[in-house]
Amino acid sequence: MTYRNIQGMRAIAALLVVSAHMFFDIEPMRTHWAKPFFALVGGAGVDIFFVISGFLIYQVMGRSIASMGAVGKAKAVYDFAMKRVIRIYPLFWLVFGTSCLFTAWVSPTPPPLPEPLFQLLALVDNLPNPRLYVSWTLTFEVYFYAVVALSLLLFARRAMAGVLTWFAMIGGATLLGFWFPWGKPLDFVFSPILLEFLLGIAVAVLVERGFRRCHGALLAGAFIWMAIGSLFLRPALFASSVAHSGKFAAVHLSFALHVICWGAPAAIVIYGIVVLEIRQRWIMPRVLQYLGNASFSIYLWHAVVFHAVANAFAHLGWVGVVSSTGLTALMVATGLGAGLLSYHVLEKPLLRYLGQRLLGRGASFPSPGAGGYAR
């Protein structure tokens, strides 16, 4: 089943991420009064995406397991893994390459890329990517998919047991990390934010087993929870934690707070909007469903486009002359437009072509957002 409300939530999550980044590329906007609000609340978009991924991957796993009797385990696992590869990597590589070319063009001494480059292109180890900084979320997505694929391969119809064992290890490591912070690469392997995928799985299990009660107060409470939780994720508190406990401990605490302050209420919201759709009580507007379809392209392209448009504004002499709010609005409109163009011109044709070539058919992929790429 393709949930129209999930598509709408992808759009909302993508717009939240876009709002978090729209103040960084135009100098006057970096001190804009609204920056602290948007930069903080916008970060919750990533957590929403991770919960959506967990919710959908649970369903994809079920279909993969059901197909094993007809096509065999090897083919079922291959199809699962290849659809994930087709979904993420081709468009990511195109955007990453474009960003590298643009950075080299506008800057005589572009910042160096971390070595080895292979890890950036393969989306492993959560290395900082100065050319496409939003890609850090994809490393967690790829890691989650790899664990699911390995569980399908090793445990077949009991694959969920393997996935839950992995989550149990993450939970134990999260608790231990408060006393003994993990260094690289274990800070990535045992990152608390991975538990947000488990929250999405939990929502899917509840829905599957018939727990379909939702009241407006539940959703209202989740949004209030998320708003209050934002206070604990302020950059100033993170900086203070770094100064007091060191970077590894601060990142570990920050990701744990993401799960508690944003991940948990996001799971409640996803549960609520799915139940509302199943009960035919409320469906997301079509414009949000459409933006949700294009949310992966929007997520990947917006920061690159923001940087390019801001440079164009500076070259034209508009910065400091034209209203900075107006420039930002134009930048956001251009970023969204580029994402929608990419969806129609690049993303959909790539999925169709590669699906035919690598899966033997036109693959059907409900479009992901920044973090819900499972499909």
Side-chain angles (χ1 to χ4, degrees):
M1 175 180 179
T2 298
Y3 292 97
R4 290 173 288 175
N5 281 357
I6 288 290
Q7 293 299 93
M9 283 303 301
R10 283 176 173 152
I12 290 172
L15 293 174
L16 283 172
V17 174
V18 168
S19 73
H21 296 151
M22 67 185 181
F23 293 95
F24 293 97
D25 290 294
I26 299 179
E27 188 69 37
M29 292 300 291
R30 295 177 185 174
T31 57
H32 195 279
W33 65 267
K35 177 185 174 182
F37 173 76
F38 281 102
L40 183 59
V41 176
V46 169
D47 305 88
I48 294 171
F49 279 130
F50 283 171
V51 173
I52 289 174
S53 281
F55 176 86
L56 293 174
I57 274 289
Y58 175 82
Q59 298 178 330
V60 174
M61 281 184 65
R63 292 195 293 270
S64 296
I65 291 170
S67 71
M68 287 181 180
V71 303
K73 182 174 72 172
K75 182 66 166 72
V77 175
Y78 171 82
D79 284 352
F80 172 87
M82 188 52 63
K83 287 189 77 170
R84 310 289 78 75
V85 169
I86 293 171
R87 158 50 65 201
I88 293 180
Y89 285 103
L91 188 61
F92 163 70
W93 288 333
L94 282 173
V95 179
F96 177 72
T98 302
S99 181
C100 287
L101 291 174
F102 173 76
T103 304
W105 179 58
V106 300
S107 175
T109 56
L113 287 168
E115 296 292 342
L117 180 60
F118 170 79
Q119 292 182 336
L120 286 182
L121 293 175
L123 294 169
V124 297
D125 200 26
N126 200 226
L127 290 173
N129 188 336
R131 302 294 188 274
L132 192 59
Y133 53 81
V134 298
S135 66
W136 71 270
T137 65
L138 301 186
T139 64
F140 287 110
E141 291 273 354
V142 168
Y143 179 20
F144 175 44
Y145 301 156
V147 169
V148 173
L150 184 62
S151 296
L152 287 168
L153 182 63
L154 295 179
F155 303 109
R157 297 185 180 278
R158 298 183 180 274
M160 186 53 64
V163 174
L164 292 178
T165 299
W166 174 64
F167 279 124
M169 293 172 60
I170 298 296
T174 295
L175 294 176
L176 187 61
F178 288 116
W179 289 275
F180 306 99
W182 301 100
K184 289 187 174 297
L186 295 181
D187 62 326
F188 171 64
V189 173
F190 295 137
S191 176
I193 204 168
L194 293 162
L195 295 173
E196 293 185 340
F197 296 115
L198 177 61
L199 292 174
I201 291 174
V203 172
V205 171
L206 287 174
V207 172
E208 180 184 69
R209 296 189 177 182
F211 293 91
R212 298 174 180 177
R213 296 182 179 180
C214 178
H215 300 282
L218 184 69
L219 292 175
F223 287 120
I224 293 171
W225 181 350
M226 195 173 289
I228 295 174
S230 299
L231 300 177
F232 296 93
L233 289 164
R234 287 173 292 172
L237 292 180
F238 177 75
S240 175
S241 182
V242 171
H244 182 265
S245 305
K247 183 176 180 180
F248 285 123
V251 171
H252 185 87
L253 175 60
S254 176
F255 279 159
L257 288 174
H258 267 262
V259 177
I260 297 169
C261 298
W262 284 344
I268 295 173
V269 171
I270 296 302
Y271 170 78
I273 63 108
V274 167
V275 169
L276 288 174
E277 180 174 357
I278 291 173
R279 295 172 61 185
Q280 299 183 344
R281 297 285 297 275
W282 181 70
I283 305 296
M284 287 274 191
R286 289 188 178 183
V287 64
L288 286 180
Q289 295 177 45
Y290 171 65
L291 289 174
N293 291 337
S295 55
F296 188 38
S297 283
I298 291 171
Y299 182 76
L300 285 180
W301 280 107
H302 78 274
V304 179
V305 173
F306 282 6
H307 187 42
V309 173
N311 274 272
F313 289 163
H315 180 74
L316 293 169
W318 291 359
V319 178
V321 178
V322 180
S323 164
S324 57
T325 301
L327 292 180
T328 298
L330 181 58
M331 185 172 69
V332 170
T334 306
L336 293 177
L340 293 174
L341 181 65
S342 168
Y343 170 64
H344 289 287
V345 175
L346 295 174
E347 185 179 346
K348 288 206 300 184
L350 276 171
L351 293 179
R352 183 167 53 250
Y353 174 76
L354 294 174
Q356 292 171 346
R357 297 283 295 182
L358 299 175
L359 294 168
R361 61 187 183 277
S364 175
F365 298 88
S367 185
Y373 314 103
R375 333 335 150 189

